[in-house]
Amino acid sequence: MKKAYQTTNEVYGEDDKLTEAEDSLSLEVLERVRRTAWAGRKIYYFPVVDSTNDKARQLAAEGCPDGTLVVAGRQEAGKGRRGRSWVSPDGCGIFMTLLLKPDICPDNASMLTLVAALSVVRAIENQTKVPVGIKWPNDIVLNGKKICGILTEMCMDSGRISHVVVGIGINVHNASFPNEVSETATSLYLETGMHCSRAALIEEVLEQFETFYAIYRKTEELSGLVGVYDAHLVNRHRQVRVLDPTEPFEGEAQGITPRGELIVDTPDGRRLVSAGEVSVRGVYGYV
Ligand code: BTN
């Protein structure tokens, strides 16, 4: 017998039940729930793609505008950070990429990943009423395991940003994971018992992104967002190991700077860690 779970999303209403099988995703559904001003103003839905990030880059090259959204039912070559792959089975997750064409300094673009992380956190919390955290810089974690990863890629033209793609993968309905990632990966279903509507969650991520992005754009950095980011930072006041390829070190994470660097207090003094250069682990495990 198929199990049904309560869903908190507005699309289906408080009293309706949603099963994984009923959580259909299509262009029509995504357009029906769209309430944003510019994010997702043009939506592409593909049942199957190699990678939504690659598709968004291709669409950008073809002239698609700022705010274009690419969503897939599954990915055959989903990309993670540091050359890793992203598990992207059919119907289980959210595989989405937002195309941005911002007129900003290229040095400030990496902070967009943290803006996206905040958007996902706020969206999941609003949809599920379950508190989630951020493992610096942009892994979203629930009960110490990863439920979402973000891959931001920038394309330059003559020293200026031609476009940025912000790719977001959220594990929604997965009941299990391949051995390689099962120690660290989890899904919203596994942690909450709920089958959330992916369309409603995508819409909420876009709405939250519009809000946080507007704050970021005022200064082109994160000074207006440090407080809310630090409040969700699971590494805060914990010992972390910074896997710097030249010189790994340990210390206590304190929060982020307005440029999104992780502040780490070591026995030798304070160090600022930039995302992209290194990865950070908890001394006693993933977080
Ligand atoms: C990470 O390693 O944590 C980043 C994972 C990013 C996965 C998403 S899924 C949608 C988008 N398309 C991709 O190929 N990757 C990102």
Side-chain angles (χ1 to χ4, degrees):
M1 202 174 94
K2 231 173 25 174
K3 259 169 134 186
Y5 298 87
Q6 188 80 34
T7 174
T8 57
N9 73 71
E10 293 162 21
V11 176
Y12 292 85
E14 284 292 317
D15 296 329
D16 294 336
K17 309 281 187 193
L18 177 66
T19 66
E20 177 185 347
E22 287 162 359
D23 181 28
S24 64
L25 208 50
S26 64
L27 182 60
E28 194 206 341
V29 169
L30 289 165
E31 287 182 339
R32 195 167 63 225
V33 300
R34 178 172 50 194
R35 292 188 301 267
T36 46
W38 61 268
R41 77 178 106 193
K42 174 82 188 144
I43 302 175
Y44 289 85
Y45 175 78
F46 300 97
V48 188
V49 287
D50 286 346
S51 152
T52 54
N53 271 26
D54 290 351
K55 183 56 89 174
R57 290 167 68 159
Q58 181 194 324
L59 290 166
E62 290 167 11
C64 277
D66 182 55
T68 297
L69 177 71
V70 179
V71 177
R74 77 180 158 94
Q75 299 185 115
E76 289 186 328
K79 300 189 297 186
R81 294 175 74 215
R82 298 175 203 293
R84 288 190 282 253
S85 58
W86 185 256
V87 177
S88 310
D90 197 20
C92 279
I94 288 175
F95 315 113
M96 63 186 273
T97 298
L98 185 62
L99 169 63
L100 302 173
K101 295 190 166 176
D103 186 14
I104 58 172
C105 172
D107 290 346
N108 298 338
S110 64
M111 286 176 265
L112 287 168
T113 306
L114 282 76
V115 175
L118 277 177
S119 313
V120 173
V121 162
R122 189 57 71 71
I124 290 176
E125 290 187 341
N126 284 352
Q127 288 290 310
T128 66
K129 312 297 177 217
V130 172
V132 290
I134 303 173
K135 175 182 171 288
W136 183 87
N138 55 6
D139 286 356
I140 312 302
V141 296
L142 182 47
N143 298 332
K145 288 186 162 190
K146 178 164 168 173
I147 47 168
C148 166
I150 299 168
L151 178 65
T152 300
E153 298 176 288
M154 176 169 71
C155 191
M156 303 274 294
D157 187 13
S158 311
R160 294 170 66 96
I161 293 178
S162 97
H163 59 265
V164 177
V165 295
V166 181
I168 299 173
I170 308 177
N171 302 326
V172 181
H173 301 303
N174 314 57
S176 63
F177 287 88
N179 285 342
E180 318 83 83
V181 294
S182 60
E183 289 276 297
T184 51
T186 192
S187 70
L188 287 173
Y189 164 65
L190 285 172
E191 300 305 318
T192 68
M194 276 188 288
H195 283 296
C196 299
S197 155
R198 287 173 297 163
L201 191 48
I202 290 169
E203 163 59 26
E204 179 98 37
V205 169
L206 296 177
E207 276 184 50
Q208 298 299 335
F209 189 85
E210 286 189 345
T211 302
F212 289 123
Y213 184 68
I215 298 170
Y216 159 82
R217 285 301 301 265
K218 277 189 198 152
T219 55
E220 269 188 43
E221 39 86 287
L222 305 172
S223 48
L225 298 172
V226 167
V228 59
Y229 186 96
D230 281 352
H232 286 94
L233 184 62
V234 292
N235 314 98
R236 198 162 189 221
H237 302 141
R238 286 192 182 197
Q239 286 293 118
V240 292
R241 177 171 291 132
V242 180
L243 304 175
D244 189 318
T246 50
E247 186 209 9
F249 62 92
E250 289 182 11
E252 188 181 287
Q254 302 299 334
I256 60 163
T257 69
R259 294 205 56 77
E261 299 140 317
L262 187 68
I263 303 164
V264 181
D265 284 344
T266 77
D268 302 325
R270 177 159 285 192
R271 309 262 303 246
L272 301 184
V273 182
S274 295
E277 294 166 17
V278 298
S279 91
V280 166
R281 293 248 142 193
V283 165
Y284 304 107
Y286 165 65
V287 173

